[in-house]
Amino acid sequence: MSIAILVVLVAIGVAVVSYVTIAGVRVSDRDVAWIAHAVQPPPPQAVVYSRYLQRHRRHRLAGGLFGTIFAVTMGIRWYGEVHIGIGEGNPLADILFCAMAGVLVGALSAETFRLSEPASSTIAASLATRDDPSRRDLTKLARSITIMSLAIGGLVAATGNGTESLWVAAAGGLVAMVAEATRSAISSRRRPVLSDQARAVDLRIRTFANRSVAALQLAAALLAIGWTVAKIPAGEPAAIGLLRFLFVLGCLFATAILLNTAAPRPSRTWTTDTLA
Amino acid sequence: MIVHLDTASVIPVFEQLRSQIERLIASGQLRPGTKLPPIRQLASDLSLARGTVNKVYDALARDGLVETAGRHGTIVLDGSKVTTSSTDLAAAADTLAVVTRQLGLEPDAAHQALDDALGRL
C-alpha cells in the first residue's frame, strides 16, 4: 500500500471518528425530555440534564474509543488478530469486551465528576426516606454470573485443563469491580435537601445512572461468562459443542440488548407522546 | 425533617447530630415506626465518616429512642418520655439574648434575625 493511500485512509478514519464524537455528544430537546420524563422541563432543570447527558456521552465515548484502540493494539501486537465477539483468540483482543470495559470506566469517570461547591461550614441533610432507584435485580444477577464464571474458570484450572478460562473470568471480575465502584459513586453522591425541584432532578438522574450501570455490569458479566465457557478446551461430544455454541450466541444476543438499554440516549422509536 | 451541622462550631458534629435527631423524636416530628436513613446515605449527605453516624445511632439506641433492626434499618421508637425540647429552646433563646445585648442591638433586631433564620429552614 502506498503512503498516499495510507494517509487518505487515516484522514477518513479521523474524520469519521471526529464526526461520530461530535454528533454523539450533542444533546437534543428530545434527549432532555427522555431523561427528565417531562415534555418540557423548566430551563434551569433542562440545563442540568443536558450537561449531565453530555458529560456522560463524552466520557463513555472516550472510554469506548480507548478500549477499542487497546483491543486493536493488543490484538495486532501480541495475538496477531482482532475480534468482535466471543470465540477464538483472547478477550483482550476482543473489541466488544474492551470497548465495554472502556465505556464502564467512562461512566465511572462521569459519575465521579464534581463541581466545586461554595465554601461553607454548614451542611444540611434530610432524614426523610428517599426512593431507591437502584436496579438490585440486574446487579444481583450480574454478581451471580461473575461468581459463576470465576467458579467455572477455577474448576477448569483445577482439573488440569489450562488456566485460560480462569484468566478470562478474572478479567470479567475486574470489569465487575469497576461497575461496583461506579454504582458506589452514584449512591454515595450527596442528595439535595431544600429544593423539591432539585430533589426531582436528582432522582431522575440517579434512576438513569443506576439502570444504565446495572445493564452495563450485566452485559460485561455475560460477555465474561461467554468467553470463559468458550475457552474451555474442546474435545466434548458434538451435542455439548452445539450447546456451548448456543450459550455463547445467547450471551452475545443478551449483551446487545443490554447495551441498548444502557445507552445514554432514547431509542429511535421513543417519542414524547409516551410521557402523556 | 432536616438536620443542619456546623463544622466550625465548638460543639462536636456527633453531638450536633445526636441532639437534633433526639429533638425531632421528642417533638413527635419523627414518629414511632419511622425509618431513619441508612448510615451510609446520611454519612454521604452530611460528608461525615460512617463511624460518626453509626455512633450517633448507637447513642440514640442506648437512650431508647431508636431500635436497630439489622437489615431493616434503624426505626424510631416512642420518644414522648424525652423532655428536652423546652429546655433546649430556652437555652438557645438565652444565647440569642446575650449576643444581642453584647452587640448593643435592639430587641427588634433579634426578633428579625430569628424570623430570618426560621425562614431559611
Side-chain angles (χ1 to χ4, degrees):
Chain A
M1 188 185 295
S2 72
I3 296 292
I5 294 174
L6 192 65
V7 169
V8 169
L9 283 178
V10 168
I12 290 171
V14 169
V16 167
V17 168
S18 305
Y19 174 75
V20 168
T21 306
I22 293 165
V25 299
R26 197 180 295 138
V27 176
S28 66
D29 290 344
R30 178 172 168 268
D31 298 336
V32 171
W34 169 71
I35 193 170
H37 233 254
V39 178
Q40 209 166 14
Q45 292 184 26
V47 169
V48 174
Y49 287 125
S50 180
R51 282 186 183 163
Y52 174 80
L53 267 186
Q54 204 165 29
R55 183 170 66 245
H56 240 277
R57 289 179 182 180
R58 197 182 297 131
H59 288 224
R60 282 180 182 216
L61 196 63
L65 284 175
F66 181 79
T68 305
I69 292 167
F70 177 83
V72 171
T73 310
M74 290 292 286
I76 291 172
R77 175 67 181 82
W78 277 281
Y79 301 107
E81 52 186 355
V82 179
H83 316 270
I84 298 179
I86 304 164
E88 293 300 313
N90 193 289
L92 292 183
D94 172 18
I95 290 177
L96 190 59
F97 186 76
C98 291
M100 189 181 300
V103 167
L104 265 171
V105 172
L108 173 63
S109 159
E111 288 298 339
T112 49
F113 177 85
R114 293 278 188 282
L115 289 170
S116 58
E117 293 180 28
S120 169
S121 63
T122 56
I123 308 168
S126 171
L127 295 178
T129 314
R130 309 282 177 92
D131 290 333
D132 180 15
S134 60
R135 291 297 307 266
R136 290 179 201 276
D137 49 345
L138 293 183
T139 310
K140 275 184 184 171
L141 188 59
R143 284 176 186 159
S144 307
I145 291 172
T146 303
I147 291 169
M148 213 184 298
S149 59
L150 282 167
I152 292 170
L155 196 67
V156 170
T159 50
N161 287 306
T163 56
E164 217 171 352
S165 281
L166 185 59
W167 283 117
V168 170
L174 208 63
V175 176
M177 281 167 70
V178 174
E180 292 289 343
T182 311
R183 281 190 340 93
S184 172
I186 296 164
S187 61
S188 63
R189 191 166 48 222
R190 281 183 65 189
R191 289 154 175 77
V193 176
L194 297 176
S195 156
D196 286 338
Q197 289 188 354
R199 274 203 291 267
V201 172
D202 180 69
L203 183 62
R204 287 302 315 156
I205 284 177
R206 264 177 219 278
T207 305
F208 157 75
N210 275 303
R211 189 194 63 221
S212 180
V213 171
L216 280 174
Q217 185 173 358
L218 184 54
L222 283 170
L223 266 189
I225 199 167
W227 267 105
T228 306
V229 170
K231 283 294 162 193
I232 298 173
E236 72 272 16
I240 304 279
L242 179 67
L243 275 181
R244 176 154 75 167
F245 172 74
L246 289 175
F247 177 76
V248 167
L249 202 65
C251 286
L252 279 174
F253 184 67
T255 300
I257 292 172
L258 287 164
L259 279 178
N260 188 45
T261 307
R265 54 177 49 81
S267 66
R268 288 181 197 283
T269 54
W270 187 88
T271 63
T272 49
D273 296 343
T274 57
L275 299 174
Chain B
M1 285 173 295
I2 293 170
V3 287
H4 295 258
L5 298 187
D6 184 357
T7 51
S9 167
V10 291
I11 303 167
V13 285
F14 158 78
E15 181 51 30
Q16 290 181 46
L17 183 58
R18 192 204 61 75
S19 59
Q20 287 183 48
I21 296 177
E22 184 186 66
R23 277 198 291 270
L24 288 169
I25 294 173
S27 66
Q29 290 191 62
L30 277 173
R31 295 172 186 283
T34 306
K35 209 169 154 183
L36 290 181
I39 290 171
R40 181 180 170 175
Q41 184 184 314
L42 190 57
S44 65
D45 285 354
L46 289 169
S47 301
L48 293 178
R50 286 183 205 173
T52 307
V53 178
N54 192 23
K55 222 166 80 174
V56 169
Y57 281 11
D58 279 350
L60 292 168
R62 274 199 304 275
D63 293 343
L65 295 172
V66 300
E67 180 183 41
T68 303
R71 291 180 65 191
H72 300 291
T74 306
I75 312 290
V76 173
L77 299 177
D78 183 16
S80 57
K81 290 172 191 164
V82 183
T83 52
T84 59
S85 53
S86 58
T87 52
D88 279 0
L89 189 63
D94 285 347
T95 306
L96 179 63
V98 169
V99 171
T100 307
R101 288 287 181 233
Q102 286 172 344
L103 292 174
L105 299 173
E106 295 299 318
D108 285 350
H111 293 146
Q112 184 61 50
L114 180 60
D115 288 343
D116 290 347
L118 287 171
R120 284 195 294 271
L121 292 179

